[in-house]
Amino acid sequence: MTGTKTFMAKPGEVEQKWWLVDATDKVVGRLASDIATILMGKHRATYTPHVDTGDYVIVINAEKVVFSGNKWSDKRYTWYTGHTGLRSETAAKRLQRHPDRILREAVRRMLPKNNLARKMLGKLKIYAGTEHQHQAQQPELVELAIK
């Protein structure tokens, strides 16, 4: 019995597009979920789990994202410095210091935990302001996190 074969993409076979996302007044988790879907390539019919079939994503206005509830004061980011002790800071403090890291961490945690995810995260470009240096790639504006 012969049937249709399942399509499996090969590395370098899928043409990758560039998308531009404006993060102004978008909820962090919902926006990160949509961005992670595009980076993994799950928005395409040619999605293959073991091949990077995702697209590039440029995010502008990352300092204008919002959290729901009291997360600006309650949510804490912690990291280990390699020396004695654990560092931590609130989401509001992180927004002042590194506004791009809030969204980058949210997206990173929604990707698979493997080497391919690190390659996918390299295709995410986040900028605090409205300016970016990828005009030559002619990114298409896409509206995400509309829920």
PDB file of all heavy atoms in Angstrom, residues 11 39 59 61 68 71 79 95 115:
ATOM      1  N   PRO A  11      17.876  21.233   5.646  1.00  0.00           N
ATOM      2  CA  PRO A  11      18.516  22.507   5.996  1.00  0.00           C
ATOM      3  C   PRO A  11      18.861  23.321   4.750  1.00  0.00           C
ATOM      4  O   PRO A  11      19.398  22.798   3.778  1.00  0.00           O
ATOM      5  CB  PRO A  11      19.783  22.087   6.739  1.00  0.00           C
ATOM      6  CG  PRO A  11      19.474  20.724   7.252  1.00  0.00           C
ATOM      7  CD  PRO A  11      18.551  20.095   6.248  1.00  0.00           C
ATOM      8  N   LEU A  39       9.655  32.048  14.998  1.00  0.00           N
ATOM      9  CA  LEU A  39      11.061  31.631  15.026  1.00  0.00           C
ATOM     10  C   LEU A  39      11.209  30.126  14.806  1.00  0.00           C
ATOM     11  O   LEU A  39      12.154  29.674  14.158  1.00  0.00           O
ATOM     12  CB  LEU A  39      11.716  32.023  16.346  1.00  0.00           C
ATOM     13  CG  LEU A  39      11.967  33.502  16.582  1.00  0.00           C
ATOM     14  CD1 LEU A  39      12.494  33.724  17.984  1.00  0.00           C
ATOM     15  CD2 LEU A  39      12.930  34.067  15.562  1.00  0.00           C
ATOM     16  N   VAL A  59      12.016  43.244  16.333  1.00  0.00           N
ATOM     17  CA  VAL A  59      11.059  43.856  17.255  1.00  0.00           C
ATOM     18  C   VAL A  59      11.543  45.274  17.560  1.00  0.00           C
ATOM     19  O   VAL A  59      12.689  45.468  17.958  1.00  0.00           O
ATOM     20  CB  VAL A  59      10.943  43.049  18.560  1.00  0.00           C
ATOM     21  CG1 VAL A  59       9.948  43.711  19.497  1.00  0.00           C
ATOM     22  CG2 VAL A  59      10.537  41.620  18.273  1.00  0.00           C
ATOM     23  N   ASN A  61      10.509  49.154  19.517  1.00  0.00           N
ATOM     24  CA  ASN A  61       9.787  49.706  20.677  1.00  0.00           C
ATOM     25  C   ASN A  61       9.650  48.697  21.806  1.00  0.00           C
ATOM     26  O   ASN A  61       8.596  48.581  22.436  1.00  0.00           O
ATOM     27  CB  ASN A  61       8.396  50.224  20.268  1.00  0.00           C
ATOM     28  CG  ASN A  61       8.484  51.409  19.345  1.00  0.00           C
ATOM     29  OD1 ASN A  61       9.340  52.267  19.501  1.00  0.00           O
ATOM     30  ND2 ASN A  61       7.610  51.451  18.351  1.00  0.00           N
ATOM     31  N   SER A  68       0.564  42.303  32.465  1.00  0.00           N
ATOM     32  CA  SER A  68      -0.754  42.364  33.082  1.00  0.00           C
ATOM     33  C   SER A  68      -0.597  42.237  34.589  1.00  0.00           C
ATOM     34  O   SER A  68       0.390  41.695  35.082  1.00  0.00           O
ATOM     35  CB  SER A  68      -1.644  41.242  32.534  1.00  0.00           C
ATOM     36  OG  SER A  68      -1.040  39.995  32.775  1.00  0.00           O
ATOM     37  N   LYS A  71       2.767  42.681  37.736  1.00  0.00           N
ATOM     38  CA  LYS A  71       4.039  42.025  37.451  1.00  0.00           C
ATOM     39  C   LYS A  71       5.220  42.989  37.422  1.00  0.00           C
ATOM     40  O   LYS A  71       6.355  42.557  37.616  1.00  0.00           O
ATOM     41  CB  LYS A  71       3.959  41.264  36.130  1.00  0.00           C
ATOM     42  CG  LYS A  71       3.051  40.068  36.196  1.00  0.00           C
ATOM     43  CD  LYS A  71       3.198  39.198  34.981  1.00  0.00           C
ATOM     44  CE  LYS A  71       2.178  38.091  34.978  1.00  0.00           C
ATOM     45  NZ  LYS A  71       1.032  38.365  34.160  1.00  0.00           N
ATOM     46  N   TRP A  79      19.526  35.589  38.655  1.00  0.00           N
ATOM     47  CA  TRP A  79      20.634  34.963  37.947  1.00  0.00           C
ATOM     48  C   TRP A  79      21.787  34.762  38.901  1.00  0.00           C
ATOM     49  O   TRP A  79      21.911  35.443  39.915  1.00  0.00           O
ATOM     50  CB  TRP A  79      21.058  35.798  36.739  1.00  0.00           C
ATOM     51  CG  TRP A  79      21.669  37.122  37.073  1.00  0.00           C
ATOM     52  CD1 TRP A  79      22.999  37.404  37.176  1.00  0.00           C
ATOM     53  CD2 TRP A  79      20.993  38.350  37.346  1.00  0.00           C
ATOM     54  NE1 TRP A  79      23.194  38.717  37.496  1.00  0.00           N
ATOM     55  CE2 TRP A  79      21.959  39.332  37.610  1.00  0.00           C
ATOM     56  CE3 TRP A  79      19.653  38.724  37.418  1.00  0.00           C
ATOM     57  CZ2 TRP A  79      21.661  40.635  37.926  1.00  0.00           C
ATOM     58  CZ3 TRP A  79      19.359  40.035  37.737  1.00  0.00           C
ATOM     59  CH2 TRP A  79      20.349  40.967  37.974  1.00  0.00           C
ATOM     60  N   LEU A  95      13.475  46.799  33.061  1.00  0.00           N
ATOM     61  CA  LEU A  95      13.022  47.637  31.949  1.00  0.00           C
ATOM     62  C   LEU A  95      13.873  48.891  31.840  1.00  0.00           C
ATOM     63  O   LEU A  95      14.187  49.342  30.745  1.00  0.00           O
ATOM     64  CB  LEU A  95      11.548  48.009  32.115  1.00  0.00           C
ATOM     65  CG  LEU A  95      10.955  48.817  30.977  1.00  0.00           C
ATOM     66  CD1 LEU A  95      10.792  47.945  29.742  1.00  0.00           C
ATOM     67  CD2 LEU A  95       9.626  49.426  31.371  1.00  0.00           C
ATOM     68  N   ASN A 115      20.112  22.815  20.998  1.00  0.00           N
ATOM     69  CA  ASN A 115      21.019  23.641  20.197  1.00  0.00           C
ATOM     70  C   ASN A 115      20.276  24.388  19.100  1.00  0.00           C
ATOM     71  O   ASN A 115      20.662  25.503  18.740  1.00  0.00           O
ATOM     72  CB  ASN A 115      22.107  22.771  19.558  1.00  0.00           C
ATOM     73  CG  ASN A 115      23.051  22.203  20.586  1.00  0.00           C
ATOM     74  OD1 ASN A 115      23.132  22.716  21.702  1.00  0.00           O
ATOM     75  ND2 ASN A 115      23.744  21.144  20.231  1.00  0.00           N
TER      76      ASN A 115
END
